[in-house]
Amino acid sequence: MPSGVSLSSTKSPGKKAVKKPFKIAFTYNLKPENISKDDPDAEFYAEFDTPHTIEGIRKAIEANGYEVIMVEANESAFDKFRQHRDEIGLVFNFSEAVSNGLDREAHIPAMLEILKLPYTGPAPLAAAMILDKARAKEVWSYHGVPNAAFQLFRSKDEPLKAGLSFPLIVKPTSEGSSTGIRDSSVVKNEKELRSRVAEILHDFEQPALVEKFLPGREFTVSLIGNGDKLESLPLVEVNFESFPKGVNRIDSYEAKWVWDDPSNPIDAVICPAKVDSALGKKVVDVAKRAFLAIGCRDWARVDVRLDDKGEPYVIEINCPVGLLPDPKENSRMPTAALAAGIGFSQLLGKIISTALERCGKV
Ligand SMILES: Nc1ncnc2c1ncn2[C@@H]1O[C@H](COP(=O)(O)OP(=O)(O)O)[C@@H](O)[C@H]1O
Ligand SMILES: [Mg+2]
């Protein structure tokens, strides 16, 4: 903890400054109790966390010497932030949403902007764009950051634009944690395309994002920092060899949440990825450019995939990044940190100190 940080010293002539304790507010989403993997709503809550995970993160923040104020990301969050406004030095924003909606990742950042409280991660505009994969791709294209050619489908019958050829991948535009990404998302002909687009439109009530399928290796790049101090942790590669035989080589919902079960784990990732330094540099470079172009801050995880010529393309950015405290759970950013000798608590400490530095608080 940065000692002697005075957030709201009340100075008046002749009186000593009163230092209030420096606290971190930790805002998060809890999965509803007793939701099993087979529950029809399990996919919807895939991004929310269990009490065990939330408790692990709280302890990790405390291990850095901070006092923690817990704020569940719900409709009461604004009042709770306001109530503790003078004590909060920084908000560790780990929330996905307050309610449903395509701008949901911006809900908590918007509250914190209103209250003028500093927080980790992107401001509302960037937070909303991170979730909207099509909008993010438009920004990357403008800035020359390589990303797969795409088309947005608002109805299943729109003609496929020239230049997009099979195979393609069909995804919900504004989801995460591989929600809506199944083995059947890779489509090889018109019939499969129309059928999968119709399913996405129906199930998620949002446009379907159809992208050129990048057949190469897949990496995820964990980034911490800002501006020219942005740094990458060791690369994580998705280990498609560990997937069941015959399935498409994509990091699908099944791959993240069904096949890789702590009671029967698969080696879903390789870390550090075996790459030569030229490729490693190119992959990290694309990830950093993607991060900066969107206006991300402090930390994020960027998915990158290679095309048939081995060139890297950004797939998407994640922030907040999934963090599971138990190394056995193969959570990607903690795995990358561990490969660099950075334990879970230290990782949380680094993210927090990066944000404090950006906000001029250290
Ligand atoms: N254009 C693409 N080409 C090949 N595979 C892709 C493409 N887009 C996504 N994928 C696969 O689908 C997975 C999930 O897609 P992604 O956009 O990262 O969604 P999520 O936000 O749910 O993680 C990726 O990790 C990758 O394996
Ligand atoms: Mg992803």
Side-chain angles (χ1 to χ4, degrees), residues 162-218:
L164 275 183
S165 54
F166 294 104
L168 298 164
I169 181 163
V170 184
K171 318 193 276 192
T173 308
S174 302
E175 298 297 330
S177 300
S178 292
T179 304
I181 301 184
R182 299 276 175 173
D183 200 47
S184 58
S185 302
V186 182
V187 295
K188 298 177 188 71
N189 53 49
E190 277 282 341
K191 187 164 172 260
E192 286 176 7
L193 169 71
R194 304 295 160 191
S195 149
R196 191 59 195 152
V197 167
E199 275 170 5
I200 295 288
L201 295 173
H202 174 266
D203 293 352
F204 295 95
E205 297 176 345
Q206 59 181 268
L209 176 61
V210 175
E211 285 181 15
K212 185 176 157 57
F213 184 74
L214 299 162
R217 296 168 72 182
E218 178 167 337

Side-chain angles (χ1 to χ4, degrees), residues 89-328:
L90 184 80
V91 179
F92 178 66
N93 180 21
F94 193 62
S95 82
E96 299 290 337
V98 172
S99 58
N100 227 329
L102 298 182
D103 294 318
R104 58 192 179 274
E105 285 189 2
H107 289 168
I108 291 288
M111 284 183 190
L112 299 171
E113 289 292 330
I114 294 167
L115 293 168
K116 296 192 170 46
L117 280 169
Y119 53 97
T120 55
L125 179 61
M129 278 198 299
I130 286 171
L131 189 64
D132 184 334
K133 290 179 183 155
R135 194 60 87 206
K137 287 166 73 66
E138 287 169 6
V139 172
W140 289 325
S141 298
Y142 178 84
H143 288 278
V145 184
N147 66 93
F150 74 103
Q151 179 174 350
L152 211 51
F153 281 72
R154 290 189 174 79
S155 83
K156 82 172 175 39
D157 299 320
E158 292 172 36
L160 192 59
K161 75 178 185 190
L164 275 183
S165 54
F166 294 104
L168 298 164
I169 181 163
V170 184
K171 318 193 276 192
T173 308
S174 302
E175 298 297 330
S177 300
S178 292
T179 304
I181 301 184
R182 299 276 175 173
D183 200 47
S184 58
S185 302
V186 182
V187 295
K188 298 177 188 71
N189 53 49
E190 277 282 341
K191 187 164 172 260
E192 286 176 7
L193 169 71
R194 304 295 160 191
S195 149
R196 191 59 195 152
V197 167
E199 275 170 5
I200 295 288
L201 295 173
H202 174 266
D203 293 352
F204 295 95
E205 297 176 345
Q206 59 181 268
L209 176 61
V210 175
E211 285 181 15
K212 185 176 157 57
F213 184 74
L214 299 162
R217 296 168 72 182
E218 178 167 337
F219 305 97
T220 192
V221 188
S222 302
L223 296 174
I224 301 182
N226 287 296
D228 51 12
K229 285 195 186 158
L230 189 56
E231 282 181 18
S232 156
L233 294 172
L235 291 183
V236 170
E237 178 164 9
V238 181
N239 181 16
F240 296 120
E241 302 309 320
S242 70
F243 288 13
K245 290 252 163 329
V247 301
N248 285 306
R249 294 165 80 87
I250 57 168
D251 207 3
S252 60
Y253 184 80
E254 295 95 329
K256 280 186 197 152
W257 306 104
V258 183
W259 300 330
D260 192 16
D261 191 306
S263 62
N264 184 21
I266 58 171
D267 289 328
V269 295
I270 301 166
C271 183
K274 294 183 185 65
V275 284
D276 63 44
S277 62
L279 177 61
K281 199 176 161 315
K282 272 206 254 183
V283 168
V284 170
D285 184 59
V286 164
K288 285 185 177 177
R289 286 167 61 203
F291 178 106
L292 295 170
I294 288 290
C296 218
R297 302 190 303 205
D298 307 327
W299 69 310
R301 226 198 59 215
V302 186
D303 293 341
V304 174
R305 229 171 128 113
L306 307 186
D307 70 357
D308 51 357
K309 298 183 190 66
E311 291 301 317
Y313 288 68
V314 57
I315 299 278
E316 58 133 5
I317 292 199
N318 303 279
C319 189
V321 182
L323 294 176
L324 302 177
D326 183 349
K328 283 198 218 81

